[in-house]
């Protein structure tokens, strides 16, 4: 699956079907600090994503 | 039973919500907070502290939508431009765009106009004190703005995460007076009452709400947050909330209970008048005047 990070960098992960929460956890990201879209649509963190999916991670915390 | 795809899972409530139900849920909970805590009264003129960031943007959108349910209430937005290079310009533009779109009266007040200099210049050599200095001056500027526009209440976009962080920070500092101080009801008529309609909505819910309303803008982070204790507390609390859902709400409940048990006791200093500027304060001199001396303003 293709992961697009908040800084727009891209990483491809070799994964089968996995809940987004686990993907984030492996990347060291707390799911409460981000919003995730799958193929352009917002999804909840327990959504199962697959190898062909494009996952975009949007960081929500801004100081000030 | 709704069959639409979920856009969020609320861990603390163990609920999945689709787009329409999340929007409805947030708007109902904000209205409930406003009604239960009697935050807004008939005839109020509410000044919304609009930084242009996500929380204040969501607050203004929500209050505009709730306006028909609130009798004779008017809104006005106030933006404080502290003068933070590569940060505040974007959020000020965002605030201008939003108020234009919503048709809300908008006023901008700058630190330069009020205090003679930008925050960047005031902080030279004092960067580690950035958040406390900025907080004191921004609060003063907001009060000036609220008086200027004839506001009866000042609404801020503090969310559940912010409020829970403040509870924990006050505990860590051993600051009981600040922990039980409630700016919405202890002003003795000397301050414009501050209200926090989003105090029970999490940061993630707010960000998702904005996304679903096409109002999300990716903005830069304040360059001074790296100096703040709040940054560390935020990281710690988010981890705890993830592992033990409901932690933030339980912190808020703890604060409410401590407030209840402290009611009527002499935990807080009585409110007095600053001997230099006559503003209300707890000591002889208010924090703004103390800052003016130390910064030679």
């Amino acid at each position: 699956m293709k992961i697009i990070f908040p800084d727009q960098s891209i990483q491809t992960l070799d994964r089968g079907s996995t809940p987004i929460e686990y993907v984030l956890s492996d990347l060291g990201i707390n799911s409460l600090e981000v919003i995730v879209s799958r193929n352009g649509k917002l999804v909840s963190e327990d959504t199962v994503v697959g190898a062909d999916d494009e996952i975009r991670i949007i960081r929500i915390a801004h100081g000030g | 039973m709704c069959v639409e795809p979920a856009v969020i899972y609320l861990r603390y409530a163990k609920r999945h919500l689709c787009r329409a139900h999340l929007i409805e849920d947030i708007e109902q909970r904000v209205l409930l907070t406003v009604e239960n805590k009697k935050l807004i009264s008939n005839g109020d003129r509410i000044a919304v502290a609009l930084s242009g960031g996500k929380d204040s943007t969501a607050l203004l959108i929500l209050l505009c939508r709730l306006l028909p349910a609130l009798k004779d209430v008017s809104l006005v937005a106030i933006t404080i431009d502290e003068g933070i290079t590569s940060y505040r310009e974007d959020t000020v533009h965002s605030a201008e765009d939003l108020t234009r779109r919503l048709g809300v009266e908008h006023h901008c007040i700058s630190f330069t106009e009020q205090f003679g200099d930008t925050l960047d210049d005031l902080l030279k050599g004092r960067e580690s004190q950035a958040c406390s200095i900025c907080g004191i001056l921004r609060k003063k500027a907001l009060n000036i703005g609220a008086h200027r526009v004839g506001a009866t209440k000042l609404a801020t976009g503090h969310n559940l995460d912010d409020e829970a962080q403040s509870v924990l920070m006050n505990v860590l500092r051993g600051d009981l007076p600040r922990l039980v101080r409630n700016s919405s009801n202890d002003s003795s008529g000397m301050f414009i009452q501050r209200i926090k309609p989003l105090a029970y909505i999490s940061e993630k819910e707010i960000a998702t709400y904005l996304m679903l309303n096409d109002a999300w803008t990716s903005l830069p982070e304040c360059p001074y947050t790296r100096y703040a204790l709040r940054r560390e507390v935020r990281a710690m609390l988010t981890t705890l909330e993830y592992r033990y859902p409901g932690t933030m709400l339980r912190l808020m409940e703890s604060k409410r209970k401590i407030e209840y048990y402290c009611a009527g006791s002499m935990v807080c200093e009585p409110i007095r008048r600053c001997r230099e500027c006559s503003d209300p304060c707890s000591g002889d001199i208010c924090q703004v005047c103390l800052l003016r001396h130390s910064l030679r303003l």
Side-chain angles (χ1 to χ4, degrees):
Chain A
M1 67 189 68
K2 181 176 164 187
I3 310 284
I4 305 172
F5 289 89
D7 65 0
Q8 304 305 314
S9 63
I10 295 173
Q11 191 177 332
T12 304
L13 294 183
D14 186 15
R15 285 288 189 92
S17 296
T18 319
I20 287 173
E21 190 179 353
Y22 294 170
V23 176
L24 293 173
S25 177
D26 288 350
L27 294 168
I29 298 171
N30 183 332
S31 63
L32 295 177
E33 295 178 338
V34 296
I35 292 175
V36 175
S37 71
R38 178 182 62 179
N39 305 325
K41 292 196 170 162
L42 284 190
V43 286
S44 59
E45 66 204 49
D46 54 350
T47 302
V48 175
V49 292
D52 297 332
D53 285 329
E54 179 182 281
I55 309 299
R56 182 181 290 274
I57 302 170
I58 303 142
R59 189 162 288 283
I60 57 174
H62 295 292
Chain B
M1 182 76 177
C2 177
V3 292
E4 291 299 312
V7 295
I8 196 167
Y9 175 57
L10 304 180
R11 297 170 63 86
Y12 66 89
K14 295 184 179 162
R15 292 173 75 200
H16 288 88
L17 292 176
C18 70
R19 178 187 189 281
H21 282 121
L22 177 67
I23 291 174
E24 183 184 293
D25 186 75
I26 288 177
E27 291 175 357
Q28 279 181 354
R29 280 160 55 207
V30 171
L31 185 59
L32 213 60
T33 301
V34 167
E35 288 176 346
N36 287 350
K37 292 186 172 287
K38 298 182 173 56
L39 300 184
I40 297 176
S41 314
N42 292 352
D44 265 339
R45 179 163 167 79
I46 310 290
V48 177
L50 179 67
S51 69
K54 68 175 186 318
D55 301 312
S56 59
T57 295
L59 176 62
L60 190 61
I61 292 172
L62 277 155
L63 288 180
C64 279
R65 289 192 181 170
L66 296 181
L67 219 49
L70 308 166
K71 282 184 189 162
D72 302 324
V73 172
S74 62
L75 296 176
V76 52
I78 300 173
T79 300
I80 307 300
D81 181 358
E82 303 92 344
I84 306 174
T85 308
S86 303
Y87 170 64
R88 195 46 91 203
E89 302 93 331
D90 288 352
T91 57
V92 168
H93 287 147
S94 185
E96 287 167 348
D97 286 346
L98 180 70
T99 48
R100 201 174 304 124
R101 230 172 37 240
L102 295 173
V104 173
E105 183 183 332
H106 184 217
H107 298 262
C108 196
I109 294 175
S110 73
F111 270 24
T112 309
E113 168 200 336
Q114 284 306 317
F115 309 113
D117 225 334
T118 63
L119 183 68
D120 284 343
D121 285 333
L122 292 172
L123 286 179
K124 282 188 177 138
R126 304 167 186 263
E127 288 81 1
S128 62
Q129 299 168 268
C131 292
S132 56
I133 292 175
C134 180
I136 291 167
L137 297 181
R138 188 160 56 167
K139 191 172 179 182
K140 172 74 176 175
L142 275 172
N143 278 333
I144 291 169
H147 277 293
R148 199 180 280 174
V149 300
T152 52
K153 305 263 171 70
L154 179 60
T156 62
H158 291 90
N159 60 42
L160 174 62
D161 298 52
D162 298 326
E163 292 298 282
Q165 287 157 20
S166 294
V167 172
L168 190 54
M169 284 166 70
N170 288 327
V171 170
L172 291 173
R173 289 174 174 142
D175 194 342
L176 182 60
R178 189 167 287 196
L179 179 65
V180 300
R181 190 185 302 156
N182 184 345
S183 56
S184 67
N185 63 15
D186 68 354
S187 59
S188 310
M190 287 198 269
F191 300 109
I192 289 182
Q193 185 185 337
R194 289 185 172 231
I195 58 171
K196 300 172 183 175
L198 307 186
Y200 290 93
I201 311 291
S202 74
E203 188 165 43
K204 180 155 178 158
E205 290 173 286
I206 288 170
T208 309
Y209 179 84
L210 288 178
M211 285 262 178
L212 297 175
N213 283 289
D214 294 321
W216 171 265
T217 314
S218 193
L219 292 166
E221 187 173 22
C222 176
Y224 295 113
T225 55
R226 66 177 180 274
Y227 299 109
L229 167 65
R230 185 175 288 274
R231 190 186 177 107
E232 291 177 54
V233 169
R234 172 193 282 169
M236 184 167 62
L237 250 186
T238 314
T239 304
L240 287 171
E241 178 67 36
Y242 180 77
R243 291 176 62 183
Y244 310 104
T247 294
M248 293 191 195
L249 280 172
R250 286 192 291 276
L251 269 173
M252 295 287 281
E253 180 59 14
S254 300
K255 176 183 157 69
R256 194 192 62 76
K257 284 181 183 163
I258 294 168
E259 278 174 357
Y260 174 79
Y261 287 113
C262 287
S265 65
M266 293 301 288
V267 173
C268 295
E269 292 276 325
I271 298 174
R272 290 183 270 181
R273 292 278 181 188
C274 171
R275 71 171 184 230
E276 296 199 2
C277 71
S278 302
D279 269 6
C281 64
S282 56
D284 283 341
I285 302 179
C286 73
Q287 288 184 307
V288 176
C289 286
L290 284 172
L291 254 185
R292 283 188 196 275
H293 289 305
S294 68
L295 296 174
R296 295 193 175 83
L297 292 176

